[in-house]
Amino acid sequence: MINETRRSRLLLYVALAVFALFALAPYYWVVRTSFLTNFAAIDPGTNYLPQLGNLTVAAYEQIWERYNFITFFKNSIIVSVTATVISLFFSIPGAYAFARLNFPGRKVLFYTAVFTIMFPWIVITIPVYEVFYVLGLINTLSGVMIALSIFVLPQTIWLLQGFFRQGIPENIEEAALIDGHSELGAFLRIVLPLSAPAVGAAALFAFLTAWNNFLWVFVLTSDEEVRTATVALHYILGSDVLRQWNILMAAVVLLVAPPVVFYGLSQRYVGEGLGGM
């Protein structure tokens, strides 16, 4: 019986290792190609484990200097962080109101917000562009920040209201009110600190959504000075870099690095926030 259990575990570990190797192989290819010389990157004879002579950081130097990627990268960070902060600023009290307060039209407003998550945003690109044009927000970082904040707001409201409803018992707030706290004081001093896991999970998803967004940045910007890295990568694909795989993969690595780092810093909050614990 013990031998059968060990054999089953061994088969499970082998299957997981094969699956992990299969899943991680494309990511390894991207990182490996970004460190190759231009000739080695397009040479079919280059091994998966390249020789040291074929490794270089020249692709990263070129993507920073030649294609001004530092400006696009900085714009992505500014826009994503600002959109995350703005969305949390409005979604935290909004989600708490949906979870705790009874007011006319509460369900209609909430399901309308949830519906926008599933709504195809490309359908309203023309009206949104006209509104932003009238407001003078075209080709500005402020316009992109506002658009992305609106874009990520429904999902943060949906995520946080579930945590407020299921993760925090109402008797905690009742006890705070008995102790002399006001409703606002109970929320700021009791509920909000207990909601740190959910806020961290919501911040992670908001940041990832804003960082990876292509549609709104592409529609609302045309000048290089206000492009984000995702849109800049689209224009890089249409240039001569298409024949330089190492530079293209270097841009992809730089584009993926911040979300990976952000997830690594906040991953312990994700499980608790999504689980309503």
Side-chain angles (χ1 to χ4, degrees):
M1 184 69 179
I2 297 178
N3 291 334
E4 291 181 359
T5 303
R6 291 179 177 177
R7 189 180 301 110
S8 299
R9 288 183 178 179
L10 179 61
L11 292 175
L12 176 62
Y13 292 148
V14 170
L16 290 176
V18 172
F19 176 77
L21 183 63
F22 179 78
L24 295 176
Y27 298 98
Y28 169 76
W29 185 89
V30 170
V31 176
R32 155 198 170 272
T33 305
S34 69
F35 286 102
L36 292 176
T37 62
N38 184 34
F39 178 77
I42 62 176
D43 184 9
T46 303
N47 296 325
Y48 245 61
L49 294 175
Q51 299 178 356
L52 293 178
N54 292 329
L55 299 179
T56 178
V57 294
Y60 290 92
E61 296 176 355
Q62 292 186 47
I63 200 66
W64 281 114
E65 299 174 0
R66 180 179 173 186
Y67 294 96
N68 196 25
F69 204 76
I70 187 172
T71 300
F72 310 136
F73 196 79
K74 179 184 67 175
N75 290 341
S76 290
I77 292 178
I78 294 174
V79 166
S80 301
V81 172
T82 305
T84 300
V85 173
I86 294 176
S87 65
L88 290 178
F89 180 79
F90 288 100
S91 63
I92 290 175
Y96 184 77
F98 283 128
R100 288 288 192 264
L101 305 180
N102 289 320
F103 53 89
R106 179 175 64 90
K107 290 186 177 181
V108 175
L109 290 175
F110 176 72
Y111 286 117
T112 300
V114 173
F115 173 74
T116 58
I117 300 176
M118 302 174 286
F119 192 81
W121 289 93
I122 195 171
V123 176
I124 59 174
T125 52
I126 295 178
V128 169
Y129 181 87
E130 291 182 352
V131 171
F132 276 66
Y133 179 81
V134 172
L135 297 176
L137 296 175
I138 300 298
N139 278 328
T140 63
L141 286 179
S142 301
V144 176
M145 294 175 191
I146 295 173
L148 294 182
S149 301
I150 297 172
F151 181 75
V152 301
L153 186 61
Q155 70 176 17
T156 52
I157 289 178
W158 174 77
L159 179 62
L160 289 173
Q161 74 85 29
F163 184 87
F164 288 140
R165 187 184 302 275
Q166 301 178 4
I168 300 180
E170 294 186 19
N171 55 12
I172 294 179
E173 300 158 73
E174 295 175 356
L177 294 176
I178 294 175
D179 289 340
H181 291 286
S182 63
E183 293 185 358
L184 180 60
F187 172 74
L188 295 177
R189 297 184 180 183
I190 307 298
V191 176
L192 194 56
L194 292 176
S195 306
V199 174
L204 173 64
F205 283 101
F207 180 84
L208 293 179
T209 302
W211 181 273
N212 294 324
N213 185 273
F214 174 84
L215 176 63
W216 292 125
V217 183
F218 182 77
V219 170
L220 299 177
T221 63
S222 59
D223 297 339
E224 286 191 3
E225 292 76 12
V226 292
R227 287 177 186 167
T228 59
T230 50
V231 176
L233 187 60
H234 165 74
Y235 286 99
I236 291 175
L237 280 170
S239 64
D240 58 346
V241 77
L242 187 60
R243 297 183 295 273
Q244 301 177 8
W245 285 98
N246 55 341
I247 297 179
L248 181 59
M249 293 303 106
V252 172
V253 172
L254 293 174
L255 187 63
V256 173
V260 172
V261 173
F262 192 18
Y263 178 78
L265 295 176
S266 59
Q267 62 176 339
R268 70 188 186 93
Y269 294 107
V270 175
E272 297 178 8
L274 295 179
M277 299 175 59

